[in-house]
Amino acid sequence: MKKKKKEIENELVATSWVNESSFPQMFEHAQKLVTSALVPFKKPEDLVLVWQYGKDIGLSFSQAINELYPIPGSGGTRVCAGVHVHEGILLAGDIQYEIIEDAIEVQHYKIKGLGTVILSMKEVQQKIEEGYYQIVTPADFDKNGKLNIEQTAKFFIMRIDCPHLPEGYSNRRTSIRFIRKSKNIDQIVDYYLHEAAQAGFLSKGNWVQHQRAMLYARCFTKGAKRYGSDLLKNLGETSEVAQYSGVDYTFDEKGNATIDTSFEEVEEDVEISDKSE
């Protein structure tokens, strides 16, 4: 028989149980909480997981249960949070960040003798003014493939299509600078739209509707994991973990990811059936 919400509230004294460190006692509290409307979880093990994880990364109990998601996958359940939680953890530590480029359009260029580079229009123009690049097109070659124009810069460059993007897509780049003075880190991290295409993300509506926010989320978490893994303690980003785990999620223009929790209900039904047997 389920207890009423008021009975559960009376049993759980806020000043003591939220700081509980014993796993059996945490699990006991979790079993009581999931039968009420006090927490957004249906399974006590999920509540204990995010509760302990929140403590590990410095979140209060209320923050943990509202900001952290447990997502099951082939490697076990993974705890994750939206990118804004990652931002807060890094800022509370000793990492600062600065957005350098926000989903700017970039083009792929083949440079004779150097291979392929990805450049923004601003970068190309700067190099042209410095006498470093000279743009050529197919019209500048004769029928034998030899250039028929005078070289006025150090390198010829010619724009080519990005091989990883479907037709109709322009490549874009988000760049974020991460600064961690205590470890002498001052680095810029890039994330390109073609990386999302290579990972199979562009088939999802979130990448079509909220491309700028998705690029930012991927770029930020890429840099955060690289330079702040000790602060994040393997905390995943919600949309990324959900994507790889095959769990549906929605993403808004502010960068907030929300998962579809229907999979929890299915698992809960199975567990109830097993126990009744």
Side-chain angles (χ1 to χ4, degrees):
M1 180 177 178
K2 291 185 177 180
K3 293 183 179 181
K4 294 181 180 179
K5 178 178 177 182
K6 191 61 180 177
E7 291 177 311
I8 295 172
E9 289 175 335
N10 290 336
E11 290 181 7
L12 302 175
V13 181
T15 56
S16 61
W17 67 268
V18 293
N19 296 316
E20 189 58 68
S21 58
S22 166
F23 176 78
Q25 289 179 313
M26 289 176 73
F27 194 79
E28 183 181 347
H29 287 311
Q31 286 179 310
K32 296 174 183 177
L33 285 166
V34 296
T35 62
S36 71
L38 296 174
V39 295
F41 300 102
K42 299 178 178 66
K43 298 189 294 181
E45 52 266 39
D46 284 344
L47 174 55
V48 171
L49 187 62
V50 300
W51 183 357
Q52 183 59 54
Y53 210 103
K55 291 166 68 175
D56 292 342
I57 61 177
L59 297 182
S60 68
F61 177 79
S62 60
Q63 286 178 304
I65 64 172
N66 287 294
E67 300 285 1
L68 303 183
Y69 288 100
I71 297 182
S74 58
T77 299
R78 178 83 183 274
V79 176
C80 57
V83 69
H84 58 287
V85 175
H86 292 245
E87 294 169 342
I89 292 172
L90 263 59
L91 289 174
D94 60 345
I95 301 180
Q96 297 175 307
Y97 64 91
E98 175 188 3
I99 302 173
I100 305 299
E101 297 173 324
D102 189 11
I104 66 164
E105 186 172 338
V106 292
Q107 301 289 347
H108 291 237
Y109 294 89
K110 185 175 181 180
I111 303 179
K112 187 176 182 180
L114 292 181
T116 302
V117 294
I118 306 173
L119 302 167
S120 66
M121 183 55 67
K122 181 180 179 181
E123 290 171 320
V124 172
Q125 189 61 39
Q126 181 180 341
K127 291 297 185 181
I128 289 175
E129 293 174 357
E130 293 173 354
Y132 197 76
Y133 290 155
Q134 179 180 352
I135 295 179
V136 296
T137 68
D140 296 319
F141 293 84
D142 62 22
K143 61 182 180 179
N144 297 316
K146 184 178 180 179
L147 277 168
N148 53 21
I149 62 172
E150 180 184 358
Q151 184 168 350
T152 59
K154 189 173 182 178
F155 294 102
F156 287 119
I157 66 170
M158 182 169 67
R159 192 179 75 80
I160 59 174
D161 292 331
C162 175
H164 309 297
L165 284 170
E167 187 177 352
Y169 277 85
S170 296
N171 206 359
R172 293 188 176 274
R173 179 176 68 204
T174 291
S175 303
I176 303 175
R177 179 187 179 193
F178 290 85
I179 304 169
R180 193 171 189 180
K181 294 182 179 179
S182 64
K183 297 187 180 298
N184 296 317
I185 293 172
D186 189 340
Q187 298 290 333
I188 293 177
V189 174
D190 301 323
Y191 191 87
Y192 293 88
L193 187 61
H194 79 259
E195 294 181 69
Q198 287 177 296
F201 295 158
L202 295 191
S203 60
K204 304 296 182 181
N206 293 299
W207 276 95
V208 176
Q209 299 166 13
H210 307 296
Q211 198 174 99
R212 185 182 301 273
M214 294 297 289
L215 282 169
Y216 172 79
R218 289 294 184 271
C219 185
F220 189 90
T221 52
K222 179 180 178 180
K225 285 186 287 188
R226 184 175 295 175
Y227 302 119
S229 58
D230 57 320
L231 300 173
L232 293 171
K233 295 178 173 61
N234 202 36
L235 179 68
E237 190 274 320
T238 302
S239 64
E240 184 174 28
V241 176
Q243 187 94 45
Y244 285 118
S245 300
V247 174
D248 289 335
Y249 69 94
T250 56
F251 207 83
D252 65 26
E253 67 279 359
K254 296 180 180 179
N256 299 310
T258 304
I259 65 169
D260 178 2
T261 58
S262 60
F263 65 87
E264 293 184 349
E265 296 178 3
V266 173
E267 293 185 358
E268 184 68 7
D269 290 342
V270 173
E271 286 193 1
I272 292 174
S273 176
D274 289 343
K275 290 178 181 177
S276 62
E277 293 177 356

